């Protein structure tokens, strides 16, 4: 009996190479777990795509380091280099054949040991032509070495499986030695050394030496050979498929899974710029619009074609992997130094990575800072995923930032192209081309950056174009499905915080340039706390359409879930709108609670002048308990994640002190210690014996942080606000219908201010919220159905908290209502009326008529005026605000103010 083959042990030279070059390989723990699971089920055969000595060395090193099944066989490799000089090295010069290798593989599998199988060998100029390979295949049992390298070994695996009961599991895996995307057009270097996707030996070594620090290992789903044989037997009882057919099917399955994993790293093949432009400009839809606009004139068509090409040049991205690496290095020295840490939703990222293998992703992040443009690109790059192409506003195309962003994946679109039919058609054609090529896209559904920390209402223009392009891209045979990913990017402090405060207090927006961000980076090392990224559930067009049809089954018409591309214009608009609000709701749902947001909320909802550190901790604990009940996520820096499922996160009280220190450094809170002499120059630090006071001017900055959590409380705040105002109370409580009416009016008033659920009516939300408040002990209901607020204790404090969360909004709308008196003298432009309102608000705050300095906010005033138009308090004429006839007197205007003030 022949001895059991031993695993290959590297000689001292190879051992040094192993540790020098392979230690930095980024190994996904899921890969090791997948191999261990396969080993527990049966015999593991590692499958790699094309013959590569470097891949084998790396795999051999990793299996030894991670204590995985050791390799006992590898086809077509002379392994004498693993032996020390003098022990078997002469065997490398002994004649050997493919038949010998097949026999060795059978013996290894028969003993339940692991092997490595290379499926293909990339052809080179020195290999026989295709005709010669065909002649060889016709005269011998095994084909000459060429592109079909693994057929004989797969037949041996099938035979071995038939002779043993434990399953043989083929585990496909791929080493990606270069992040550069494949090229659609090959050149002379590709002909000599093999293309990037099928490199020859020389190119393999060169790629390894150039990129060994960035290598990626990915593994696909294992193939159970025993299950495959059983399935084939069931499906093809008479006659059973031959081994040749099974080998072809098995090869196709393995290569498909390997390519799926590789494309998940390098992304789609890159086209030459001229070819990409030609495909976009020649697209049928764009050409039709050009013909419609030009009429019969050939000259006019040519002119419009040149205009479309010029628009495309201004718009297009020019992704360069070297530029992405350079941008990442610059980020290390600037943006990364501004934050003390990055907290990433790793489970969500893994879910996204898996989806990207066979779907086209549309990333829809929240937009609060210019940093947003860079974060996801950096995250995807460092996670060995293709970087997304980002739709950026053309206001960022200035030199030199525009060029940097363009080469890092940004393409620039005008803020508005209403009325320019040709430009809209070029954007549509470009989007369709990107979808068809399989690129991951990213854009901001809010349109611009939020200055308040809350999500802005979604802008549907670009989303409508994207949905049309996605539908068109999915209609072709074999097309990839398009899915939309809501993403929340959260900050403890915003880099542009000072600029935002200046803008919300009435200052003009400054022109974008690179100096602002660089200046912030130079002076703000670690001053902005932590940054976090959270991923929501993936949404598909079919899934969103199914939601609409479940709610309105009688209106489905031709727009069934199976025919997204056949929607009527009305159903298509409904689909775009529902998708937009589902995305915004999902972003809100996954937004993580940060230490800064929690502390800011506690400080701004505390009604007294100052608060002791111990009371601040208690207030933060109360808010955190409420948020746990809402199933909110907590960042790792704020709460210890429980090990048992369903357990409550444990708040880190040190995180509260750290957030206070962050705000003290920013000048947002003052620290006092009772007993210290007045004028003492020593600056007290946050801690157990400290008292905190928020200066009036700093409340606007803290309001940005507080608004990160506002959406969690909105539904209950709409009920709590009229309850705490007590204007409708009687001896036995509040009437149910009165509460519902008051809550609905408030919801309509704040429709542009906060995001409400998109999947339910007001009546459903109100009923569910009231029942939840009763279950949590916040309200009680009598036998007659009347409602009362809990008289004391935790329940009462919670209801008061909900009302205080939106008090500044109510006060801001009171300010806007009082400013309507300016229209008694005549119409005013929106900008002029808002300016008057800000001056009115300043006077009301200084006079003590309103409590919250953050109520005097330009975005709040602007939203209030738009809401007043919807409610009939205002009209618009010739671009200006006017009072409608029913509110054209001072008494009527005062009535509007009184009506809103009744909620205070």
């Amino acid at each position: 009996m022949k001895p059991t083959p031993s695993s290959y042990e590297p000689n001292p030279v190879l051992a040094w190479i192993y540790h020098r070059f392979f230690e930095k390989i980024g190994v996904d723990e899921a890969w090791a777990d997948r191999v261990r699971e396969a080993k527990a089920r049966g015999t593991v055969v590692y499958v790699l795509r094309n013959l590569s000595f470097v891949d084998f060395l790396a795999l051999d090193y990793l299996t030894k380091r991670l204590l995985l099944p050791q390799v006992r066989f590898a086809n077509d490799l002379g392994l004498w280099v693993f032996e020390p000089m003098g022990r078997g090295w002469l065997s490398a010069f002994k004649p050997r054949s493919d038949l010998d290798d097949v026999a060795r593989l059978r013996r290894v599998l028969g003993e339940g040991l692991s092997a490595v199988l290379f499926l293909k060998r990339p052809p080179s100029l020195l290999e026989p032509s295709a005709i010669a390979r065909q002649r060889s295949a016709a005269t011998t049992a095994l084909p000459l070495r060429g592109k079909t390298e693994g057929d004989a070994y797969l037949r041996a695996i099938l035979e071995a499986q038939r002779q043993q009961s434990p399953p043989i599991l083929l585990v496909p895996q791929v080493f990606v030695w270069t992040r550069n995307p494949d090229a659609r057009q090959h050149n002379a270097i590709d002909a000599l050394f093999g293309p990037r996707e099928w490199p020859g030996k020389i190119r393999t070594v060169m790629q390894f030496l150039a990129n060994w620090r960035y290598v990626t290992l990915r593994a696909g789903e294992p193939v159970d050979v025993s299950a495959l044989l059983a399935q084939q037997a069931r499906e093809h009882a008479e006659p059973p498929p031959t081994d040749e057919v099974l080998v072809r099917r098995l090869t196709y399955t393995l290569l498909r899974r390997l390519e799926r994993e590789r494309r998940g790293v390098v992304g789609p093949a890159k086209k030459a710029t001229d070819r990409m432009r030609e495909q976009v400009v020649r697209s049928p839809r764009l050409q039709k619009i050009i013909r419609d606009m030009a009429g019969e004139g050939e000259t006019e068509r040519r002119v419009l074609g040149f205009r479309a090409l010029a628009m495309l040049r201004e718009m297009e991205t020019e992704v360069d992997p070297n530029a992405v690496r350079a941008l990442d290095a610059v980020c290390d020295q600037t943006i990364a130094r501004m934050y003390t840490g990055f907290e990433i939703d790793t489970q969500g990222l893994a879910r996204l990575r898996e989806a990207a293998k066979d779907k086209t992703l549309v990333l829809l992040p929240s937009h609060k800072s210019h940093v947003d443009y860079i974060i996801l690109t950096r995250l995807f790059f460092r996670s060995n995923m293709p970087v997304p192409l980002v739709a950026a506003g053309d206001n960022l195309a200035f030199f030199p930032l525009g060029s940097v962003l363009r080469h890092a994946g940004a393409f620039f679109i005008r803020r508005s192209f209403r009325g320019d039919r040709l430009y809209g058609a070029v954007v549509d054609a470009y989007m369709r081309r990107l979808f068809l090529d399989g690129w991951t896209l990213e854009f901001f559904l809010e349109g611009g950056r939020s200055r308040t920390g809350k999500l802005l209402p979604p802008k549907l223009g670009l989303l409508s174009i994207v949905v049309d392009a996605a539908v068109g891209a999915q209609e072709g045979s074999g097309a990839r499905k398009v899915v939309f990913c809501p993403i929340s990017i959260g900050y403890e402090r915003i880099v542009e915080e000072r600029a935002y405060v200046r803008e919300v207090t009435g200052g003009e927006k400054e022109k974008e340039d690179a100096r602002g961000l660089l200046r912030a980076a130079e002076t703000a090392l670690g001053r902005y706390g932590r940054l976090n990224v959270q991923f929501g559930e993936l949404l598909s067009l079919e899934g969103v359409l199914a939601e609409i049809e479940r709610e309105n089954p009688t209106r489905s018409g031709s727009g069934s879930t199976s025919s997204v591309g056949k929607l009527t214009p009305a159903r298509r608009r409904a689909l775009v709108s529902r998708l937009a609000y589902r995305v915004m709701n999902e972003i809100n749902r996954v937004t993580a609670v940060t230490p800064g947001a929690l502390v800011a909320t506690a400080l701004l909802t505390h009604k007294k002048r100052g608060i002791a550190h111990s009371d601040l901790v208690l207030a933060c604990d109360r808010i955190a308990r409420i948020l746990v009940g809402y199933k909110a996520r907590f960042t790792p820096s704020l709460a210890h994640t429980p090990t048992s499922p369903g357990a409550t996160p444990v708040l880190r009280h040190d995180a509260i002190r750290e957030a206070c220190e962050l705000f003290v450094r920013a000048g947002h809170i003052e620290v006092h210690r009772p007993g210290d002499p007045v004028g003492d120059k020593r600056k007290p630090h946050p801690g157990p014996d400290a008292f905190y006071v928020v200066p009036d001017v700093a409340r606007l900055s803290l309001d940005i942080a507080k608004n990160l959590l506002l959406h969690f409380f909105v539904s209950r705040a709409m009920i709590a606000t009229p309850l705490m105002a007590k204007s409708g109370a009687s001896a036995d409580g509040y009437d149910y219908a009165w509460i519902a009416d008051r809550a609905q009016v408030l919801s309509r008033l704040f429709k542009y201010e906060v995001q409400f659920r998109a999947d339910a009516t007001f009546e459903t939300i109100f009923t569910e919220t009231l029942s939840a408040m009763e279950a949590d002990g916040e309200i009680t209901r009598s036998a007659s159905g009347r409602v009362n607020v809990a008289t004391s204790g935790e329940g009462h404090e919670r209801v008061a908290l909900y009302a205080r969360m939106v008090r500044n909004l109510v006060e801001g709308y009171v300010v806007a209502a009082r400013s309507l008196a300016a229209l008694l003298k005549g119409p005013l432009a929106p900008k002029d009326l808002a300016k008057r309102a800000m001056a009115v608000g300043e006077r009301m705050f200084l006079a003590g008529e309103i409590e919250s300095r953050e109520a005097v906010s330009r975005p709040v005033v602007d939203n209030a005026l738009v809401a007043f138009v919807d409610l009939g308090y205002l009209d618009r004429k010739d671009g200006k605000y006017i009072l409608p006839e029913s509110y054209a007197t001072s008494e009527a205007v005062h009535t509007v103010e009184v009506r809103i003030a009744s909620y205070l």
Side-chain angles (χ1 to χ4, degrees):
M1 183 176 179
K2 294 184 179 180
T4 299
S6 61
S7 63
Y8 307 119
E9 294 297 331
N11 60 38
V13 175
L14 281 177
W16 178 84
I17 293 175
Y18 274 12
H19 290 285
R20 177 71 177 86
F21 293 104
F22 297 146
E23 278 189 347
K24 292 185 178 293
I25 293 179
V27 179
D28 187 356
E29 190 60 35
W31 170 75
D33 292 340
R34 186 167 285 177
V35 174
R36 292 188 184 102
E37 290 172 4
K39 177 60 179 175
R41 293 169 55 193
T43 301
V44 174
V45 176
Y46 304 97
V47 180
L48 291 96
R49 191 172 64 157
N50 53 302
L51 188 65
S52 169
F53 203 81
V54 174
D55 284 7
F56 175 81
L57 294 178
L59 180 63
D60 184 60
Y61 170 75
L62 292 175
T63 54
K64 289 179 169 63
R65 191 183 84 182
L66 300 175
L67 303 178
L68 300 174
Q70 300 293 292
V71 175
R72 270 23 182 222
F73 169 84
N75 61 302
D76 295 289
L77 289 178
L79 298 172
W80 57 273
V81 293
F82 284 90
E83 301 177 7
M85 185 65 70
R87 191 184 70 181
W89 68 278
L90 287 174
S91 64
F93 298 98
K94 293 180 180 180
R96 53 189 298 277
S97 68
D98 290 329
L99 293 174
D100 293 334
D101 271 356
V102 170
R104 292 189 185 94
L105 175 60
R106 286 177 178 147
R107 183 158 59 94
V108 166
L109 295 177
E111 297 179 9
L113 303 175
S114 294
V116 169
L117 176 61
F118 297 100
L119 289 177
K120 301 277 185 180
R121 168 178 287 184
S124 68
L125 291 177
L126 300 179
E127 289 189 1
S129 65
I131 296 176
R133 289 198 299 272
Q134 290 174 1
R135 290 174 179 171
S136 173
T139 57
T140 181
L142 290 166
L144 204 64
R145 292 182 185 179
K147 293 191 70 175
T148 54
E149 191 71 33
D151 291 13
Y153 306 105
L154 288 174
R155 282 196 295 272
I157 289 172
L158 292 173
E159 293 170 4
Q161 183 64 79
R162 293 187 181 105
Q163 296 171 8
Q164 65 184 55
S165 56
I168 298 174
L169 292 108
L170 308 180
V171 183
Q173 52 225 298
V174 59
F175 287 93
V176 182
W177 296 98
T178 174
R179 294 286 304 279
N180 293 337
D182 303 333
R184 288 290 177 91
Q185 295 177 332
H186 292 166
N187 52 31
I189 294 178
D190 297 329
L192 286 172
F193 304 111
R196 188 178 290 120
E197 61 270 30
W198 291 97
K201 294 178 181 177
I202 296 177
R203 189 161 195 165
T204 296
V205 173
M206 296 303 295
Q207 288 182 169
F208 160 67
L209 293 176
N211 299 284
W212 60 273
R213 294 180 181 86
Y214 312 106
V215 63
T216 304
L217 171 62
R218 290 284 177 83
E221 189 68 27
V223 176
D224 187 329
V225 180
S226 64
L228 175 69
L229 291 174
Q231 179 184 358
Q232 295 297 324
R234 288 192 304 269
E235 295 177 357
H236 307 276
E238 293 292 339
T242 64
D243 278 2
E244 289 298 327
V245 174
L246 291 176
V247 165
R248 295 273 64 80
R249 292 174 181 172
L250 196 52
T251 301
Y252 173 77
T253 299
L254 291 168
L255 287 175
R256 191 163 178 263
R257 295 186 184 187
L258 286 165
E259 181 63 12
R260 182 173 179 262
E261 298 299 327
R262 197 181 71 85
R263 281 299 178 93
V265 177
V266 301
K270 185 179 180 181
K271 295 176 181 175
T273 304
D274 290 343
R275 183 185 177 195
M276 180 71 170
R277 290 173 184 163
E278 181 182 4
Q279 288 181 333
V280 172
V281 174
R282 290 182 178 273
S283 66
R285 287 169 63 99
L286 179 55
Q287 285 297 313
K288 181 180 183 302
I289 289 176
I290 289 176
R291 288 194 301 270
D292 291 345
M293 294 177 65
E296 299 298 326
E298 191 63 34
T299 302
E300 288 81 358
R301 292 184 187 180
R302 192 178 302 110
V303 170
L304 288 176
F306 284 129
R307 278 188 58 198
L309 191 60
M311 292 173 178
L312 184 58
R313 286 195 178 99
E314 293 178 357
M315 180 189 311
E316 67 187 354
T317 184
E318 300 175 17
V319 184
D320 182 354
N322 294 323
V324 176
R325 293 191 189 97
L327 182 63
D328 183 65
V330 171
C331 287
D332 276 340
Q333 300 302 317
T334 53
I335 292 175
R337 300 173 68 187
M338 296 158 63
Y339 297 95
T340 55
F342 293 79
E343 299 174 320
I344 309 299
D345 172 16
T346 54
Q347 292 182 347
L349 183 61
R351 189 170 59 247
L352 208 60
R353 179 188 289 118
E354 189 65 25
K357 295 173 183 177
D358 53 14
K359 297 180 178 66
T360 297
L361 303 180
V362 179
L363 310 179
L364 299 169
S366 58
H367 196 20
K368 297 180 175 68
S369 169
H370 279 318
V371 177
D372 298 336
Y373 288 106
I374 302 170
I375 288 304
L376 291 183
T377 296
R378 173 185 170 91
L379 176 59
F380 274 52
F381 175 73
R382 295 209 162 192
S383 302
N384 295 315
M385 297 170 65
V387 296
L389 305 186
V390 186
D394 60 354
N395 60 313
L396 294 178
F398 59 85
F399 180 84
L401 183 63
S403 179
V404 173
L405 294 178
R406 191 185 300 274
H407 285 87
F411 58 98
F412 300 100
I413 297 179
R414 298 176 190 169
R415 287 290 183 181
S416 173
F417 42 91
R418 182 177 299 174
D420 193 337
R421 187 182 179 193
L422 181 62
Y423 189 83
V426 172
V427 173
D428 176 74
Y430 187 57
M431 290 288 191
R432 286 175 180 267
R433 189 71 258 168
L434 295 178
F435 273 126
L436 289 171
D437 290 347
W439 290 97
T440 295
L441 299 186
E442 173 190 343
F443 70 96
F444 301 102
L445 195 51
E446 297 167 87
R449 291 169 294 159
S450 168
R451 267 64 174 174
T452 63
K454 297 174 294 185
L455 291 182
L456 299 175
K459 304 294 189 296
L460 304 185
L462 185 56
L463 180 64
S464 181
I465 291 176
V466 170
V467 168
D468 279 348
V471 169
Q474 289 185 166
E475 288 177 346
S477 59
R480 290 160 63 97
K481 185 177 181 180
V482 178
V483 292
F484 298 81
C485 180
I487 302 173
S488 171
I489 304 178
Y491 305 87
E492 287 194 90
R493 284 188 62 206
I494 304 291
V495 174
E496 302 95 332
E497 183 183 278
R498 290 185 180 179
Y500 288 176
V501 169
R502 183 173 47 78
E503 289 179 35
V504 301
T505 52
E508 293 296 328
K509 178 184 176 183
E510 290 184 348
K511 186 178 180 180
E512 312 285 0
D513 59 29
R515 289 178 297 176
L517 190 58
L518 292 176
R519 187 164 53 245
E522 291 172 358
T523 60
L525 301 183
R527 293 187 181 180
Y528 290 95
R530 292 177 176 84
L531 181 153
N532 75 88
V533 180
Q534 305 289 325
F535 299 95
E537 293 298 326
L538 298 177
L539 303 172
S540 68
L541 296 177
E542 294 79 6
V544 174
L545 186 60
E547 289 182 8
I548 298 174
E549 290 173 348
R550 282 195 297 269
E551 295 173 8
N552 302 285
T554 60
R555 297 175 57 191
S556 297
S558 61
S560 66
T561 56
S562 60
S563 56
V564 175
K566 300 179 181 179
L567 294 173
T568 64
R571 298 290 286 170
R572 178 191 157 281
R573 288 192 297 271
L575 172 62
V576 171
S577 179
R578 172 60 66 90
L579 174 62
Y581 283 97
R582 285 284 284 111
V583 168
M584 305 308 277
N585 290 162
E586 190 66 11
I587 291 174
N588 274 336
R589 185 186 71 82
V590 301
T591 294
V593 183
T594 66
L598 187 64
V599 168
T601 301
L603 289 171
L604 293 184
T605 54
H606 180 72
K607 296 187 67 174
K608 298 179 181 179
R609 184 190 304 277
I611 183 171
H613 182 86
S614 57
D615 291 336
L616 178 65
V617 171
L618 291 175
C620 289
D621 277 333
R622 174 181 293 117
I623 297 170
R625 287 195 303 272
I626 296 172
L627 292 168
V628 167
Y630 300 158
K631 298 181 180 179
R633 300 183 180 188
F634 289 77
T635 61
S637 59
L638 176 59
H640 298 293
T641 303
T643 54
S644 57
T648 302
V650 179
L651 204 65
R652 288 182 60 248
H653 288 173
D654 280 347
I656 297 173
R657 177 185 52 78
E658 293 163 4
C660 289
E661 290 175 349
L662 179 72
F663 290 143
V664 167
R665 290 196 301 270
H668 298 341
I669 60 176
E670 298 172 353
V671 183
H672 299 271
R673 279 192 169 82
D676 287 351
V678 176
D680 192 340
K681 295 183 179 181
R682 293 176 301 174
K683 293 184 178 180
H685 296 284
D689 56 346
F691 269 76
Y692 306 117
V693 175
V694 180
D696 289 336
V697 72
R699 293 183 67 90
L700 284 158
S701 296
L702 290 182
D703 192 54
I704 296 174
K706 184 204 82 171
N707 283 338
L708 191 72
L709 307 182
L710 178 62
H711 60 276
F712 288 113
F713 301 91
V714 163
S715 295
R716 298 197 185 198
M718 296 301 99
I719 296 174
T721 298
L723 290 179
M724 296 304 293
K726 303 184 185 304
S727 57
S730 63
D732 57 346
Y734 300 86
D735 179 69
Y736 179 92
W738 179 88
I739 300 173
D741 177 68
R742 296 280 285 172
Q744 188 168 32
V745 170
L746 198 61
S747 300
R748 289 171 178 168
L749 196 64
F750 289 161
K751 64 181 293 186
Y752 299 106
E753 202 70 54
V754 292
Q755 301 287 335
F756 296 98
R757 284 171 53 189
D759 59 344
T761 62
F762 168 81
E763 290 75 14
T764 300
I765 297 173
F766 177 80
T767 302
E768 292 177 355
T769 304
L770 202 66
S771 297
M773 293 178 72
E774 184 179 12
D776 290 341
E778 297 166 357
I779 62 170
T780 60
R781 277 198 264 194
S782 66
S784 60
R786 298 186 73 83
V787 177
N788 268 302
V789 180
T791 55
S792 61
E794 181 73 11
H796 184 85
E797 287 297 323
R798 285 187 171 205
V799 177
L801 171 67
Y802 303 149
R804 288 197 293 268
M805 287 292 295
V806 297
R807 182 180 178 87
N808 65 300
L809 298 180
V810 178
E811 291 185 340
Y813 279 53
V814 170
V815 169
R818 183 173 294 188
S819 70
L820 298 183
L823 297 175
L824 293 171
K825 298 179 180 179
L828 286 173
K831 187 175 181 180
D832 294 332
L833 182 57
K835 190 173 181 179
R836 298 272 186 102
M838 295 296 292
V840 169
E842 288 284 350
R843 288 194 293 270
M844 293 177 70
F845 175 73
L846 294 174
E849 294 183 73
I850 56 175
E851 297 178 1
S852 310
R853 177 63 183 84
E854 61 271 26
V856 189
S857 166
R858 177 65 182 270
V860 172
V861 168
D862 288 339
N863 289 336
L865 295 176
V866 176
F868 290 170
V869 172
D870 290 348
L871 293 171
Y873 304 155
L874 272 180
D875 267 341
R876 280 182 174 175
K877 184 178 181 181
D878 300 328
K880 293 184 177 181
Y881 282 127
I882 62 171
L883 290 172
E885 186 176 349
S886 55
Y887 288 96
T889 64
S890 58
E891 292 80 8
V893 168
H894 183 64
T895 301
V896 176
E897 179 186 342
V898 171
R899 192 174 297 166
I900 299 173
S902 66
Y903 286 95
L904 293 175

